[in-house]
Amino acid sequence: SAGTYAVAGGQLCNTCPDNAISDLASTHCKPCVGTYLVAYADPGRLTCQVSLLNLAFAGSFFICLLVVLNLLAFLCYQLLIEDFSLQNGKMVLTLCRPHRVLRWQANEPFVTLSSTGTPPLENLPKGCSFRAKALTGRDLHLIHPEGKVGPWDTSIGFCRVGFLSALLHTGYLRLPSIFWLLLWFAAGAAFARQLLGRMIIICLLLALVSTLLLQLWYRWMTHCSPLSLKRDRFLRENLASPGLERVDSGPQRAVSMRQVSDLFTFFQSFIRDRSMYYICSNLVQPLTKRSQSSYAELAGPSRVSWFISHYWGTPFRETVDAIRHHAKQQGAVDWQSTTYWICTFANNQWQAQN
């Protein structure tokens, strides 16, 4: 009968061992061995059936792998800066996405900044980093390693929390990331013990591919800051016509009062009381990156009427007000067409050494 076997020439039937099957009049039993999932003999020991519970274990193992891999990826990920400014004597960094720094009293992870266009934020003493305290979900209070506080405004660049700092000082639901990593890793290890080697490899490969796709999607969704979106809009609406016009450096690279005013008005919410240092690194250089030209050539150059020499540390708003006042004093009907040679706009910032 099914589930039994008899040795050739013998008359005594023997029961198949556990998890083995046999056909009618069989002389041997066949063990149930699954290819990818664990298989079990049916109650009659006639057929092998795949364990649905083992399929659930495989799905759970895949989810654990996916969580662990993405947690590790986020620990190494750099966050896009939305703004950096001095507020009430504190250097406050605002990020485009939640930083996940835990709001414990003594929780101060080490962070580094890059691509900010502001050397004091990046050129720290060797081996030193900023310490960060969480203010809100996206705001950090940065503490300079030498206790310095400066108006190093920027709205570009990236912030990265050191890997070890991220393990201990960032997390979810008030618990550090290392806790969640160990928890999900332990759960995954428990599920893996119930699976065949082939299924473990398949789950690992699927989790790696899924993590790669999820990280690519996340980076694509978070690659633009509010300022970069504003710059793209300015390029489309204000600089698309007449387009780039190459001219030699010198008196032909002046800009009109109207062009200066348009730039300030469009980005006023970002510029605020910031200086030409901010204008150059956050606006002029990003706007001219593709053309590798001066801003005057991109906006439409004119022949100079007046040459301006000024202090870059002056709030740009005051510089614009002074130019506007001067243009009006000239008595021209179309005073906004008065042209000025301003180094930041006339010089090609990509060839500043020339």
Side-chain angles (χ1 to χ4, degrees):
S1 62
T4 63
Y5 71 98
V7 180
Q11 297 182 349
L12 182 63
C13 290
N14 301 301
T15 303
C16 288
D18 290 340
N19 208 35
I21 62 172
S22 67
D23 299 326
L24 295 175
S26 178
T27 59
H28 64 280
C29 295
K30 295 183 293 184
C32 287
V33 179
T35 304
Y36 299 104
L37 294 171
V38 173
Y40 296 98
D42 65 353
R45 296 187 180 181
L46 182 63
T47 60
C48 291
Q49 298 178 342
V50 172
S51 169
L52 294 180
L53 181 60
N54 198 244
L55 181 62
F57 285 148
S60 300
F61 176 64
F62 168 76
I63 292 174
C64 289
L65 281 176
L66 197 62
V67 172
V68 169
L69 290 174
N70 277 280
L71 279 174
L72 289 172
F74 282 123
L75 289 175
C76 301
Y77 186 58
Q78 55 186 11
L79 295 169
L80 193 62
I81 293 174
E82 180 174 316
D83 198 66
F84 180 94
S85 62
L86 196 62
Q87 300 178 21
N88 299 321
K90 294 181 179 180
M91 295 188 296
V92 178
L93 176 69
T94 302
L95 300 168
C96 292
R97 290 293 182 269
H99 48 67
R100 302 295 181 188
V101 173
L102 298 172
R103 299 187 200 179
W104 296 346
Q105 186 173 0
N107 190 44
E108 297 181 357
F110 293 104
V111 303
T112 56
L113 307 182
S114 61
S115 304
T116 62
T118 309
L121 295 179
E122 302 175 35
N123 300 336
L124 299 179
K126 187 175 181 181
C128 294
S129 302
F130 286 103
R131 287 182 293 116
K133 289 184 177 180
L135 297 176
T136 66
R138 295 195 298 123
D139 292 343
L140 293 172
H141 169 209
L142 296 193
I143 303 170
H144 195 279
E146 296 179 340
K148 297 179 180 179
V149 176
W152 304 313
D153 299 72
T154 189
S155 301
I156 58 175
F158 300 93
C159 171
R160 182 190 295 275
V161 182
F163 182 76
L164 291 179
S165 285
L167 274 176
L168 300 173
H169 300 290
T170 67
Y172 305 84
L173 301 177
R174 298 180 179 271
L175 294 172
S177 296
I178 190 171
F179 168 82
W180 296 109
L181 274 172
L182 292 175
L183 178 66
W184 284 97
F185 183 84
F191 289 125
R193 284 166 35 179
Q194 308 298 323
L195 302 177
L196 299 177
R198 291 180 181 177
M199 178 55 69
I200 291 176
I201 293 174
I202 290 175
C203 288
L204 180 59
L205 291 176
L206 287 175
L208 286 170
V209 172
S210 299
T211 298
L212 177 61
L213 293 176
L214 283 171
Q215 290 300 314
L216 288 174
W217 173 81
Y218 180 79
R219 296 191 183 202
W220 180 78
M221 291 293 292
T222 60
H223 76 287
C224 290
S225 66
L227 180 57
S228 65
L229 294 173
K230 191 85 169 178
R231 286 196 307 262
D232 290 342
R233 182 181 160 198
F234 185 74
L235 281 169
R236 292 193 306 269
E237 297 179 3
N238 295 66
L239 301 182
S241 179
L244 180 66
E245 181 182 347
R246 299 280 186 183
V247 295
D248 294 334
S249 59
Q252 303 299 328
R253 285 192 188 173
V255 290
S256 68
M257 174 64 235
R258 179 179 292 104
Q259 289 170 322
V260 175
S261 180
D262 287 346
L263 179 71
F264 174 72
T265 302
F266 197 90
F267 293 101
Q268 190 170 6
S269 61
F270 292 93
I271 296 173
R272 303 196 286 270
D273 287 326
R274 289 162 165 167
S275 68
M276 189 64 84
Y277 290 105
Y278 179 90
I279 300 299
C280 184
S281 60
N282 286 260
L283 297 179
V284 172
Q285 286 185 317
L287 287 171
T288 59
K289 183 177 182 179
R290 181 176 297 178
S291 63
Q292 295 287 296
S293 68
S294 67
Y295 179 79
E297 292 173 291
L298 185 64
S302 303
R303 185 166 182 81
V304 62
S305 298
W306 298 91
F307 173 88
I308 290 181
S309 177
H310 69 105
Y311 169 52
W312 272 40
T314 302
F316 186 62
R317 171 182 52 79
E318 295 182 11
T319 302
V320 174
D321 289 341
I323 297 173
R324 182 182 294 111
H325 178 75
H326 178 270
K328 288 181 177 180
Q329 292 300 311
Q330 303 313 304
V333 175
D334 188 11
W335 58 270
Q336 293 198 69
S337 297
T338 306
T339 58
Y340 297 87
W341 192 98
I342 305 172
C343 61
T344 309
F345 303 137
N347 291 330
N348 187 337
Q349 300 298 330
W350 302 98
Q351 300 174 356
Q353 69 276 10
N354 298 331

